[in-house]
Amino acid sequence: MKAKIKNRAPPKIALAVAGGGPLGAIYEIGAMCALQESLTGLNLNALHHYVGVSAGGFIVAALANGMTPHELCDAFIENTPVSGDVFDPSWMMQPAYGEYAKRGAKVPLMAFSAFWQFALGRKSLLRTMESFAPALPTGLFSNDHIDIALTKLFNRKGRTNDFRKLKTRLTLVATHLDSAEAAPFGSPGWDHVPISKAVQASAALPGLFPPVEIDGQHYVDGALKKTMHASVALDAGVDLMICLNPLVPFNATTFAGKIPRIVDGGLPAVLSQSLRSMIHSRMELGMKHYEQAYPDTDIILIEPDHHDPELYLANTFSYAQRRHLAEHAYQQTRILLRRDTGGIAEKLKRHGVHINLVTVSDTSRRLLPPAMTNHSARVGAAMRNLDDTLTQLGKKLGAMHLQHHG
């Protein structure tokens, strides 16, 4: 028997958001903007429990801090927020120079030792080369800016970088590198760590980013253990669990002959499809387990269509693409709610949440205004340059006037 609306207390609603890098964050922001606009009785900034993994950790940490989905869109997609909040995905593509230097400092001693080991015949050439493994960087890119940027973001007035000062529950899951166990930052015993540092640890994808050191221990991406970690909130007890997953394997057979085959994209495309398939397969098993283990909780999964090429073929570091993808995720989520596949409306209704059919049926509704054409952009830039020139000219004329009459 599923949970029903309670008269004495409002229902406990939780949100679990999976990772997926910048692409995942873009999809999640667009989808949540659609949910916030289309669902009456649901406030995404006032939920009972938030659980985030990797890029999803940044999203739920912002929501728990009072940032609305549309404010996240301004900060992450538009990069032109009124409040000054900006989070640029390109920050995560800065080389890990500190890691390179740290590992590189070991090379001279290793080379000297390896030379003598090889010269004396104690090791083969292959074994000698293996001895240089500790000198290899543990990550290509630095993730330090995640901590720096989020510290500034969460230290603004009305927000906090301290789990213990939040008005709601927030859990950001990373993986303890030495034990391979989940690290639920925000839970008792783990809540002294700054939220920004927990997000950095949860998003430290091995090979791409170095492990994050916290209290002398090292942590990596929380998705190594589970895709969603929704059980963190389910174990604590909730009535409605909303899960958001941005990465699904792409079914390219629908577009045979229309777009390149996955294999034609080379190693990156093959690895991407393989990773998506493994992650999603694990998540599907997890969702089935949740439904059986928590029969009194309604569980809703929001994710992209497997036959949708837009998210699969995207360049997430293109500003124009980010806007397009966020808009696409927004519209696709509205379509999902309108079609109500999986009985979403019935599950929501049991907890006082309803789909606004007028809103989801409005085909003219957009998340973002249309981008300016190149001509409009050039005209706008020219007008700004002219205004700056006239301002500077006015200042110089004023200074000359003062000198003349001084």
Side-chain angles (χ1 to χ4, degrees):
M1 187 71 179
K2 295 295 184 179
K4 297 181 179 180
I5 301 175
K6 298 180 180 180
N7 295 322
R8 297 180 180 177
K12 293 180 179 179
I13 302 176
L15 173 68
V17 184
L23 171 62
I26 292 168
Y27 169 83
E28 288 160 354
I29 290 172
M32 283 192 296
C33 285
L35 293 176
Q36 189 67 84
E37 292 181 9
S38 306
L39 302 180
T40 58
L42 180 70
N43 182 355
L44 287 174
N45 292 112
L47 302 182
H48 177 71
H49 199 158
Y50 298 85
V51 180
V53 181
S54 195
F58 156 65
I59 301 295
V60 295
L63 291 173
N65 255 295
M67 292 185 69
T68 68
H70 286 81
E71 287 174 335
L72 273 171
C73 184
D74 286 339
F76 196 80
I77 308 299
E78 291 284 58
N79 293 138
T80 55
V82 176
S83 64
D85 296 332
V86 173
F87 193 90
D88 191 341
S90 66
W91 291 341
M92 295 181 287
M93 299 303 291
Q94 298 177 1
Y97 294 118
E99 177 69 8
Y100 298 162
K102 175 184 174 182
R103 298 287 167 172
K106 300 179 180 181
V107 172
L109 182 60
M110 286 181 175
F112 180 78
S113 175
F115 171 77
W116 282 108
Q117 292 287 336
F118 179 70
L120 295 175
R122 295 179 182 178
K123 288 185 178 182
S124 65
L125 179 60
L126 181 60
R127 292 292 302 275
T128 300
M129 296 302 294
E130 288 177 352
S131 65
F132 283 94
L136 295 175
T138 55
L140 297 176
F141 302 104
S142 173
N143 51 9
D144 290 338
H145 213 105
I146 295 177
D147 181 28
I148 295 170
L150 293 185
T151 296
K152 294 179 180 178
L153 191 71
F154 296 152
N155 280 333
R156 294 184 183 277
K157 185 178 180 180
R159 302 174 189 166
T160 180
N161 201 26
D162 190 331
F163 284 101
R164 297 163 294 189
K165 294 181 180 179
L166 289 172
K167 298 178 181 179
T168 185
R169 295 190 62 180
L170 169 66
T171 305
L172 304 174
V173 185
T175 303
H176 183 252
L177 185 59
D178 290 329
S179 67
E181 294 296 327
F185 292 107
S187 298
W190 300 86
D191 53 2
H192 65 286
V193 177
I195 295 173
S196 57
K197 180 62 71 173
V199 172
Q200 180 189 3
S202 180
L205 182 64
L208 194 62
F209 301 113
V212 176
E213 184 175 356
I214 300 174
D215 297 337
Q217 303 295 314
H218 291 88
Y219 299 89
V220 293
D221 198 311
L224 266 65
K225 290 290 292 183
K226 294 180 181 179
T227 303
M228 193 87 63
H229 286 279
S231 58
V232 173
L234 291 167
D235 286 340
V238 292
D239 301 308
L240 174 63
M241 183 84 241
I242 301 174
C243 300
L244 202 56
N245 171 53
L247 293 185
V248 297
F250 173 50
N251 190 339
T253 59
T254 307
F255 304 91
K258 298 179 182 179
I259 63 175
R261 296 176 303 171
I262 290 176
V263 72
D264 294 333
L267 180 61
V270 173
L271 288 178
S272 174
Q273 178 76 333
S274 301
L275 183 64
R276 288 165 179 258
S277 298
M278 289 187 292
I279 290 176
H280 195 265
S281 175
R282 184 177 63 177
M283 191 204 67
E284 285 182 320
L285 291 175
M287 295 299 293
K288 291 179 180 178
H289 167 71
Y290 293 155
E291 292 178 355
Q292 294 175 357
Y294 308 96
D296 293 329
T297 301
D298 280 307
I299 302 174
I300 295 173
L301 174 63
I302 305 293
E303 63 178 7
D305 187 341
H306 293 248
H307 299 273
D308 186 350
E310 294 286 341
L311 294 172
Y312 187 78
L313 301 174
N315 172 13
T316 58
F317 292 98
S318 163
Y319 168 68
Q321 279 285 292
R322 293 208 303 270
R323 298 184 89 255
H324 171 73
L325 291 173
E327 183 69 42
H328 184 73
Y330 172 81
Q331 298 297 351
Q332 290 301 308
T333 303
R334 282 162 34 83
I335 291 174
L336 175 66
L337 294 174
R338 184 162 65 245
R339 293 176 178 172
D340 189 22
T341 56
I344 295 176
E346 185 61 31
K347 292 179 180 179
L348 292 171
K349 184 179 179 181
R350 285 195 281 262
H351 308 283
V353 182
H354 304 274
I355 298 176
N356 188 326
L357 294 178
V358 175
T359 299
V360 297
S361 300
D362 183 359
T363 56
S364 66
R365 201 177 188 94
R366 291 182 56 88
L367 171 62
L368 300 167
M372 289 191 301
T373 63
N374 290 337
H375 175 71
S376 299
R378 287 196 297 269
V379 171
M383 293 300 293
R384 288 192 296 272
N385 290 335
L386 177 60
D387 182 66
D388 291 341
T389 301
L390 292 175
T391 300
Q392 293 298 324
L393 180 60
K395 290 181 179 178
K396 291 181 179 180
L397 290 174
M400 292 172 61
H401 178 76
L402 290 175
Q403 290 177 357
H404 180 72
H405 294 281

